[in-house]
Amino acid sequence: MLRRKIIESLDRWAVRDHKKALFVEGARQVGKTTSIREFSKSRFKHYIEINFIKKPLAKSAFDGDLDTQTIVMNLSMMGFGTFVPHETVIFLDEIQECPQARTAVKFLVEDGAYAIVESGSLLGINYKGETHPDGDTIDEIASIPVGYEEHLEMYPLDFEEFLWACGINNDVIKILKESFDSMKPVADFVHNRIMELYRKYLVVGGLPEVVDNFVKNEDFSHTVSTQIDLIKGYRHDISKYAGKDKDIVKRIFDAIPSQLAKQDKRFIIANLEANASRRKFADPTQWLIDAGMAYYATNVNALTLPFSNYENRKLYKLYMLDTGLVCNMSLNGRQFEVMNGEIGINEGALTENFVAAELAKKGVSLHYHDKKSKHELDFVVATPKGIKIIEVKSGRDFKRHASLSYTMSNEGENISEAVVLCNSNVEFENGIKYLPLYMTMFL
């Protein structure tokens, strides 16, 4: 069983005296169901799991009155188990398939007899009353239980969780953190080992099924085939849920790796379709973001806070939720070159996607700076102390950073911290922190 950080958040929710329902959301295949199941069975005497995709008949339990007694009676008659008040957690999985169950959460929470955990993907995307090509009609949700839910976002494994899966214990991670805090180099043998695992993470990514396959199976082809199956699964979800925009959504999804491989990495609609309007692609792009399959990084044309006043939403980058998928979609057949650091400029797409995904998992709003195509900065982050600049360098010339140097010289008063993430060890020079790429986990 892979160790996941979300278990700690689930535990904190479980010990609260006055619990709301806990809603765990995120893209498909990030490990929501497995983590909730593991947590629930260890925390509660009785565990009821209702998956509305595997057990579609369960939807009918919510067709009538939505009081707790009626719902529990209906579910009991369907054979879902023993409901013992104040000792039972009810896990409503894939709840996006049953809007009435989402409405019922309010009344279940008000009753207070049972702990309620919900999980879903593509949430809100299919609460539109649309008829999809497969013939299913998804009814619009009657009443979202505002004030009765605590939300928790789940992502693929971050790099620290990947280290745990690969047998790196907390003592080693503590040494890395101490080096990060003190700005002292990591011992060479430790640095080399973690860099080796970082390069593997670029290839494997953090989707639990892929990671589990990687650590248990010496035949790497199984890892690659698992990624291919997951990519097909995401494309299937797009076909099923994206409605009339499905073809455009697929084109955007498929184009992310190649767009990141460009020098500026900005997502250019014209590369997909000549003379295409931004409006035509806006909703399909947002669909991918809402589904958790991609992350936005919007342009800010001034290094002034708040960034919201200086965003240019016509200019943006798109990153994939998982770097392993980027590698598979763009460099399949060259994974061992990636692991050995032998892919040259192509590594830039993977390294920047890695940093973007690690920041997103920490809840960081992604922005980059570019003013009239001059002095572009990969990431700019708003902090209580000011603006943090993060530059990502995958090559050996990581100390060549004209845009960062220009910014430090001309707008230094707005900059609280300048970081260059690179393949080298920890170093501090001329006000700039040079950190190994794996230390993104501490930013």
Side-chain angles (χ1 to χ4, degrees):
M1 185 69 69
L2 298 172
R3 178 184 172 189
R4 302 302 304 271
K5 293 179 180 178
I6 198 170
I7 297 296
E8 297 175 6
S9 299
L10 295 171
D11 281 336
R12 287 193 292 271
W13 168 80
V15 298
R16 292 188 186 126
D17 291 335
H18 302 287
K19 288 189 287 291
K20 299 179 180 181
L22 181 64
F23 197 111
V24 182
E25 52 191 313
R28 289 196 187 279
Q29 306 299 330
V30 298
K32 300 185 298 296
T33 298
T34 300
S35 295
I36 294 169
R37 186 181 294 145
E38 175 190 354
F39 150 79
S40 297
K41 289 182 177 180
S42 66
R43 268 286 183 178
F44 295 87
K45 291 183 179 179
H46 300 277
Y47 166 65
I48 308 294
E49 179 178 329
I50 303 163
N51 185 305
F52 292 107
I53 290 180
K54 292 182 178 179
K55 301 286 186 179
L57 180 63
K59 299 177 188 178
S60 62
F62 299 86
D63 285 344
D65 292 340
L66 296 182
D67 62 282
T68 299
Q69 183 177 358
T70 299
I71 292 170
V72 169
M73 181 183 67
N74 290 342
L75 292 172
S76 295
M77 291 175 65
M78 294 178 182
F80 277 101
T82 303
F83 292 78
V84 180
H86 309 295
E87 294 182 359
T88 303
V89 58
I90 302 174
F91 175 27
L92 303 172
D93 198 9
E94 303 290 1
I95 198 171
Q96 76 279 354
E97 299 291 327
C98 185
Q100 277 293 89
R102 184 87 189 280
T103 298
V105 165
K106 172 183 176 180
F107 308 110
L108 292 169
V109 170
E110 284 181 332
D111 182 271
Y114 304 98
I116 307 297
V117 180
E118 310 161 72
S119 181
S121 307
L122 308 167
L123 184 67
I125 290 172
N126 57 343
Y127 286 151
K128 301 181 184 299
E130 296 181 352
T131 300
H132 298 294
D134 59 7
D136 292 337
T137 299
I138 305 298
D139 295 326
E140 187 172 354
I141 190 168
S143 175
I144 295 175
V146 177
Y148 294 86
E149 293 176 328
E150 178 179 333
H151 284 249
L152 192 59
E153 190 79 17
M154 190 169 184
Y155 301 92
L157 280 79
D158 63 21
F159 183 62
E160 184 175 8
E161 291 173 311
F162 180 76
L163 291 180
W164 293 339
C166 293
I168 302 299
N169 62 37
N170 283 332
D171 290 337
V172 175
I173 295 173
K174 182 180 178 182
I175 291 171
L176 300 176
K177 183 62 165 62
E178 289 172 351
S179 178
F180 171 84
D181 291 336
S182 66
M183 286 303 299
K184 294 181 179 179
V186 181
D188 285 343
F189 77 95
V190 177
H191 170 72
N192 292 337
R193 174 58 175 153
I194 303 302
M195 281 300 302
E196 176 187 336
L197 290 171
Y198 157 75
R199 288 191 292 271
K200 288 181 177 178
Y201 183 81
L202 291 183
V203 172
V204 176
L207 293 172
E209 185 179 356
V210 181
V211 174
D212 193 56
N213 197 311
F214 173 74
V215 298
K216 290 180 178 178
N217 199 322
E218 294 182 359
D219 186 348
F220 188 73
S221 65
H222 291 292
T223 300
V224 173
S225 62
T226 302
Q227 289 176 326
I228 292 172
D229 289 342
L230 290 174
I231 291 167
K232 290 178 180 177
Y234 284 127
R235 297 184 90 253
H236 173 76
D237 284 341
I238 293 170
S239 294
K240 182 176 181 179
Y241 295 109
K244 60 183 177 58
D245 290 330
K246 63 180 181 180
D247 291 336
I248 300 177
V249 175
K250 281 183 185 177
R251 288 166 63 190
I252 297 170
F253 178 78
D254 292 340
I256 291 175
S258 61
Q259 296 266 359
L260 285 174
K262 299 182 308 179
Q263 185 69 27
D264 64 1
K265 298 178 176 56
R266 187 159 61 89
F267 199 92
I268 307 294
I269 294 173
N271 290 349
L272 276 67
E273 181 179 319
N275 302 315
S277 67
R278 179 173 172 269
R279 177 177 296 181
K280 178 179 179 180
F281 281 79
D283 286 345
T285 303
Q286 190 61 50
W287 192 98
L288 279 176
I289 305 300
D290 292 342
M293 297 182 188
Y295 307 121
Y296 263 128
T298 52
N299 171 266
V300 290
N301 53 33
L303 291 176
T304 306
L305 297 176
F307 287 148
S308 57
N309 292 343
Y310 302 93
E311 286 183 330
N312 181 354
R313 291 190 169 271
K314 294 180 180 179
L315 304 177
Y316 59 89
K317 300 178 184 180
L318 283 180
Y319 299 100
M320 197 76 76
L321 87 155
D322 183 68
T323 301
L325 298 187
V326 177
C327 185
N328 189 293
M329 294 170 71
S330 60
L331 294 168
N332 194 15
R334 300 182 62 189
Q335 282 88 340
F336 286 101
E337 293 179 56
V338 177
M339 290 184 186
N340 294 324
E342 298 172 356
I343 61 170
I345 193 170
N346 290 315
E347 192 173 357
L350 300 180
T351 52
E352 193 163 315
N353 200 108
F354 164 77
V355 173
E358 287 288 292
L359 294 175
K361 290 166 189 171
K362 296 175 180 292
V364 174
S365 180
L366 301 179
H367 295 89
Y368 73 98
H369 174 63
D370 180 9
K371 187 175 182 179
K372 296 181 179 179
S373 299
K374 294 182 179 180
H375 309 301
E376 180 179 320
L377 302 171
D378 294 331
F379 297 97
V380 290
V381 179
T383 76
K385 295 181 179 179
I387 297 171
K388 178 190 294 185
I389 296 175
I390 301 173
E391 284 281 81
V392 182
K393 299 290 185 180
S394 58
R396 296 179 180 178
D397 58 347
F398 59 90
K399 290 190 177 181
R400 294 180 59 186
H401 36 65
S403 296
L404 177 58
S405 298
Y406 174 87
T407 303
M408 294 293 288
S409 298
N410 293 273
E411 300 190 60
E413 68 277 3
N414 297 327
I415 309 305
S416 62
E417 188 176 5
V419 175
V420 173
L421 296 168
C422 57
N423 292 313
S424 188
N425 211 321
V426 176
E427 188 177 352
F428 186 76
E429 184 179 288
N430 297 326
I432 298 173
K433 294 181 177 180
Y434 295 92
L435 299 173
L437 277 152
Y438 57 76
M439 284 193 178
T440 306
M441 62 182 172
F442 300 134
L443 292 177

